[in-house]
Structures are given as structure tokens and as C-alpha cells.
Amino acid sequence: MPASSSSPVFRENSTAARLLPAGPGRYAWEVREGFAEASTKALASELFLYQQPAQLGANPSSATELLATLTDADSGLIVGWWPLRLAPDGRAVSLDQAPFGGPDLLSSAVPLAVVRAWIAATEGEMRARGARHCMLRLPALAYAPPAIARVAEALRLSGYRTVLAEVNNHLPFAEAYETRLHPSERRRLHKCQRHGMRVEQEPRLLLPLAYAFMRRCREEKGQALSLSEAQLTELFQRFPNNYFLFSVRDAAGEWAAMTVAVLVGNGVLYNFYPASPLHLNAFSPVVLLNAGLHAFGQASGLRLLDLGTSTLPTGLNESLLRFKRHLGGVPSLKLTLEKTL
């Protein structure tokens, strides 16, 4: 978004912007109820999809919704964006049913001391509203290494402790897909191709059938989908330029694999809900599916394909982690942190 020289427009349910002591005096903090942007000021960089007001509003909650922003007074740009939900039981959480949520630093030039002051000011507002415990889940470090690392360090210095450190894997679009493949996965890729399997981008009208296919595949492995069909359908309707269906079809035109691909923003494509039936394990059509996503990402000028973590409610899924490594996945940390306020 282009920078705007307009004066901020504060609403009735917004705090007055206050200059933070660090900076020196260059950065202003504001918190308001609700997730819509609190002023006419522009953002320093693109918000990830899960932090955008439209996405936040897709999951309504009875909890109090707060948005804490950090503004660079010199440029007039919002450089920090932190949506929170305050539950009646005293918990402050990032986002429900989203892969991550928490303080989003939109410029890696913001000094560490300013980030810490922003966190402290927002914690004060949380405590004033009855919050006693805060839990956050940061994006994988690969999404924006300098900015996310600075937020993680500021949270650590502010007394947050890491309660879960997950290994997230991604594929860089700057490299050819087969370059990073393990020889065994390369053989499976070629086997799929020899048997006439192909990748398709499916129309959204097939989403009900696709959801049923993905659910059956997950159930075969004793897993469940985190979103209902209605919830996923709403996301496709709300964000037609961000949610896509990709499949692998066999020579007869039947589905061999399926996934939802999410354009997260900042050059990231997320492979969400990859699924294939157990009887096709010898082919491993998900390898071909990822090849299709990789080609899509390269053609779209994106940076990386997020393969996600390998964590199940019961712990680490070692076979899934090994598979992602065989795809050539590059590991990065994804942290969940908490603090008693």
C-alpha cells in the first residue's frame, strides 16, 4: 500500500495514540476494539492473510477483540499490527483456527527497544481489561526472517517462554523442484507421470466433493480436518484470490490426491490439507501434487511453498517430517509462546 500523509482518524472505541519512550519519541502506540484498521494511515508492508481484517472477521467470537498498532510518526506508516482476543476467563490469545497470529512487525527497521515498549504497552491494556495470560503463535521464521526474529527476541526479553518449538518446512521457488528431491521421491514422481497422472487446478464448485475426498483420506490415517466444510466454503467465498483447489488425477480422471493451496501473502503459498488415499502410497501422488504447486508458485513470482509443520495432537509425526525432508524441505522454527501477565 502506498504511504499516506493523512492525519490519523481515531474512533470512539480507540485509545488516544501515545508516543512510546523508546525510539526516541518517534513511534506511537494505539489500541482499539475491533479488527478494522483504526486510521487512514497506510501499512509499511503487506499483512499476511491471517492478520487481515477481512480474515479476522471470518471467525467471529464472543471474546473482546483488540487491535494494537505501532506507527512510525516520521513516515506516517503503521509498522506494527497485533490483533488479540480477550476471553472472559482471562486468556489473551492470538487467532482461532489460523496457523499463526501475534505481533506482526511490518518493518525490520523498527528497533528492538521499540518492539519491547510496544509489547509492554499492549500488555498493560490487556491487564486493564482483565487478561491474566497471553499465548501467541508466530509464523515460521522463513516467512520474514529479520522481522519475526526481532519479535521473537522482544517477546523473550519481555518474559514470554517458548511452550512449543515446531519444525516447519518450505520449498524455495528459486530452485527447480526436482533439484531438492530425494532419489526415492524422484522415482515416485516419474512413476506417477509414466502412469498418466497429472496435476489440475480444480474449479471451486467442486469444493464439496473435494472436502469429502480429503476427509476420507484423513480418516484413513486417524486424523481429522480442522475446519468444517461450511467454514472452508466461506473462506473460498470471502477470499477467491487466496484459496485454490489443486488435485492429481489418474489416467482415468479419478482423484489421486487433493489439497487446498492458500496464498498467504508476502510471496508465500501454503499447502493446506494435502491428502491422498492409502492404497496409492506406492505412487505417492502428493509428490506430483507438490510439483504442481511449485510450478504454480514459480509462474506467479512467489518466494516459497510452505509445507507446514509435522506436529499432531499426540506429538511429532516422524514419518511426515521425513517425507517433507525427502521433498527437499528447508526447515525453520515456528514458535508458540506464553506469559502470565
Side-chain angles (χ1 to χ4, degrees):
M1 297 178 63
S4 170
S5 59
S6 303
S7 299
V9 177
F10 300 109
R11 302 183 181 180
E12 185 177 348
N13 58 353
S14 169
T15 65
R18 301 204 304 260
L19 289 178
L20 295 175
R26 168 180 166 182
Y27 295 91
W29 164 81
E30 177 196 1
V31 67
R32 69 176 300 276
E33 290 190 15
F35 289 142
E37 191 172 341
S39 78
T40 58
K41 296 188 291 292
L43 302 169
S45 65
E46 179 186 5
L47 287 172
F48 290 117
L49 176 65
Y50 305 114
Q51 300 277 62
Q52 293 176 14
Q55 171 74 65
L56 294 166
N59 294 312
S61 170
S62 60
T64 300
E65 297 175 340
L66 296 182
L67 175 64
T69 57
L70 179 68
T71 302
D72 183 337
D74 286 357
S75 66
L77 298 176
I78 293 176
V79 294
W81 182 274
W82 186 358
L84 280 161
R85 285 194 169 107
L86 308 185
D89 62 2
R91 292 179 301 114
V93 298
S94 49
L95 305 181
D96 300 328
Q97 298 177 329
F100 58 82
D104 190 358
L105 197 59
L106 305 180
S107 170
S108 58
V110 180
L112 179 64
V114 173
V115 182
R116 292 186 64 188
W118 178 41
I119 292 169
T122 304
E123 287 178 346
E125 183 69 19
M126 285 189 267
R127 281 192 293 268
R129 291 171 176 264
R132 296 294 175 261
H133 181 267
C134 182
M135 177 169 283
L136 309 165
R137 194 179 192 202
L138 301 185
L141 187 61
Y143 273 44
I148 295 171
R150 182 153 299 177
V151 168
E153 178 65 4
L155 290 169
R156 185 188 69 82
L157 293 172
S158 301
Y160 287 78
R161 67 184 187 93
T162 299
V163 294
L164 182 62
E166 300 174 278
V167 176
N168 198 88
N169 276 278
H170 70 273
L171 297 177
F173 289 131
E175 300 180 46
Y177 179 64
E178 289 198 42
T179 299
R180 305 191 63 84
L181 279 180
H182 188 275
S184 62
E185 303 305 336
R186 190 178 295 114
R187 288 192 297 271
R188 292 186 177 97
L189 173 65
H190 295 164
K191 182 179 180 180
C192 288
Q193 294 168 333
R194 286 196 309 272
H195 282 77
M197 293 186 182
R198 64 191 186 279
V199 179
E200 298 279 356
Q201 185 174 342
E202 302 287 358
R204 291 181 177 87
L205 61 87
L206 294 182
L207 182 57
L209 295 175
Y211 185 89
F213 175 88
M214 292 184 291
R215 184 181 58 201
R216 287 195 303 270
C217 293
R218 289 294 180 100
E219 288 174 349
E220 283 185 334
K221 300 175 183 178
Q223 301 169 12
L225 297 176
S226 56
L227 298 176
S228 68
E229 181 183 336
Q231 289 171 320
L232 189 58
T233 299
E234 183 179 1
L235 290 172
F236 270 82
Q237 292 171 343
R238 279 179 175 253
F239 307 100
N241 298 320
N242 296 86
Y243 283 80
F244 307 92
L245 272 180
F246 282 87
S247 74
V248 171
R249 289 183 180 267
D250 62 20
E254 299 297 322
W255 282 335
M258 179 70 66
T259 195
V260 173
V262 185
L263 192 58
V264 178
N266 290 287
V268 177
L269 184 68
Y270 177 36
N271 186 0
F272 184 47
Y273 284 168
S276 65
L278 289 176
H279 74 269
L280 291 177
N281 277 1
F283 286 87
S284 195
V286 171
V287 179
L288 178 57
L289 184 64
N290 278 289
L293 295 179
H294 193 278
F296 175 83
Q298 280 192 327
S300 303
L302 303 179
R303 289 190 301 114
L304 61 89
L305 175 62
D306 182 4
L307 302 176
T309 67
S310 303
T311 307
L312 297 175
T314 54
L316 179 64
N317 186 331
E318 294 185 3
S319 63
L320 180 57
L321 178 60
R322 183 167 56 252
F323 174 68
K324 291 176 180 178
R325 287 173 175 167
H326 280 189
L327 288 177
V330 179
S332 68
L333 276 178
K334 186 171 187 175
L335 301 177
T336 300
L337 306 102
E338 67 175 12
K339 180 182 179 180
T340 299
L341 301 175

